[in-house]
Amino acid sequence: MKTYRIATIPGDGIGKEVVPAGRKLLEALAATSSKFAFEFEDFDWGGDYYRKTGAMMPADGLDALRNKDAILFGSAGDPHIPDHITLWGLRLKICQGFDQYANVRPTRILPGIDAPLKRCKSEDLNWVIVRENSEGEYAGVGGRVHQGHPLEAATDVSMMTRAGVERIMRFAFKLAQSRPRKLLTVVTKSNAQRHAMVMWDEIALQISREFPDVKWDKELVDAATARMVNRPATLDTIVATNLHADILSDLAAALAGSLGIAPTGNIDPERRYPSMFEPIHGSAFDIMGRGLANPVGTFWSVVMLLEHLGEHEAAAQVMRAVEAVTADPALHTGDLGGQATTAQVTEAVCGFVAKAAQVRQAA
């Protein structure tokens, strides 16, 4: 039996509710299998840790994660701590420290969910957004001078490297090649950003020659937002810079029904380090501790985690359980217009996994 070592980092806000729900689902799944098990280690890093220590995570925190097979993350964000401290001190420290350069965000309309695009059939919105996750607008290059004076100045430099762009483009083309439509849209802003984004476009063209079976096009980021709303069926795999994909993926989740259902994977495709999986909804302090958080985004992140570990059959089992539960309006949380609690949705998904295993055994 294979035992996978999983780090759980609930982080802040509702992360402390949905990550334990994700762990409970993994434990329920392992209970149905003789092929694999999970060994968990929980890390209490985040805003509370910062208040005690002055840091979001220990200086040597990456060493504690290095031997894990995967990381299940909740959220980073605390209304009493500046956002740049919570983000750079925890989530980005892990993403950049482990060179998780491919951020992958699948989006589709799950069964039973009333999505805002009324003219859109569920099969018309089935996307994967690939976000460059290590440089670009979030490279952290810049600074401030003359603070507090009239001539104060601040800069944030979007830093792109040929190596960084080549590897995310190649990853995106490979992903598009693996999907049925073999279709990729490269999002850009090279009409206004005439240096780095022009290089981005040039490298996209260069890499495209390695994938003659992939049909691809280029779209300005502002036009891409309209296309996602008005012509969703024309999109499949999308690749964009760190900032552009950050924004577009939240739009995608909203179009699919709720940020509460959306997953993401921060991937090191070369598997030198553990990859990290998380819901995209943030810490949502306004509903923290009330049992209102939607755990579906975490459960879908668990699906991505299992796929990354090579447990494709188990991933499919969990996805079927998630779809069975979202199909029942009585199990919708508040973000989906329902009244179900985090615990009720979690119990339902875990129960479906257990029941499906019993059916398979009986057969």
Side-chain angles (χ1 to χ4, degrees), residues 1 3-4 6 8 18-34 36-42 72 298-299 302 305-306 314 317-318 346-347 349-351 353-354 357:
M1 178 183 290
T3 299
Y4 295 106
I6 308 297
T8 54
V18 296
V19 166
R23 173 172 173 168
K24 187 171 184 178
L25 175 56
L26 284 169
E27 290 171 338
L29 181 68
T32 71
S33 175
S34 59
F36 58 83
F38 299 104
E39 177 185 284
F40 297 96
E41 185 175 357
D42 190 65
L72 185 62
T298 300
F299 296 158
V302 165
L305 182 154
L306 291 166
Q317 292 172 24
V318 173
T346 302
E347 291 296 331
V349 172
C350 292
V353 166

Side-chain angles (χ1 to χ4, degrees), residues 135-158:
E135 51 182 38
E137 303 90 345
Y138 297 171
V141 179
R144 294 176 66 180
V145 295
H146 308 305
Q147 287 180 250
H149 296 280
L151 45 60
E152 180 175 353
T155 61
D156 277 296
V157 178
S158 176

Side-chain angles (χ1 to χ4, degrees), residues 127-130 172 175-176 179 183-186 235-239:
W127 307 329
V128 177
I129 297 177
V130 177
L175 181 58
R179 288 169 59 83
L183 175 64
L184 176 67
T185 296
V186 176
L235 297 164
D236 188 83
T237 307
I238 302 164
V239 63

Side-chain angles (χ1 to χ4, degrees), residues 44-59:
D44 64 346
W45 304 337
D48 290 340
Y49 188 88
Y50 179 86
R51 277 182 278 273
K52 290 186 293 185
T53 68
M56 291 291 289
M57 63 181 285

Side-chain angles (χ1 to χ4, degrees), residues 222-257:
D222 41 337
T225 61
R227 181 172 167 185
M228 289 169 72
V229 175
N230 295 326
R231 297 185 293 132
T234 67
L235 297 164
D236 188 83
T237 307
I238 302 164
V239 63
T241 68
N242 216 328
L243 173 62
H244 292 166
D246 191 8
I247 296 167
L248 293 178
S249 58
D250 275 17
L251 172 60
L255 294 176

Side-chain angles (χ1 to χ4, degrees), residues 136-200:
E137 303 90 345
Y138 297 171
V141 179
R144 294 176 66 180
V145 295
H146 308 305
Q147 287 180 250
H149 296 280
L151 45 60
E152 180 175 353
T155 61
D156 277 296
V157 178
S158 176
M159 180 67 69
M160 295 188 190
T161 65
R162 173 165 288 275
V165 177
E166 283 184 355
R167 66 183 185 177
I168 199 63
M169 286 294 176
R170 192 168 283 112
F171 179 90
F173 271 96
K174 283 181 180 178
L175 181 58
Q177 188 181 52
S178 72
R179 288 169 59 83
R181 296 176 68 189
K182 300 185 187 301
L183 175 64
L184 176 67
T185 296
V186 176
V187 173
T188 186
K189 193 57 182 170
S190 51
N191 61 335
Q193 294 176 284
R194 58 182 182 166
H195 302 298
M197 292 307 305
V198 170
M199 184 181 77
W200 171 271

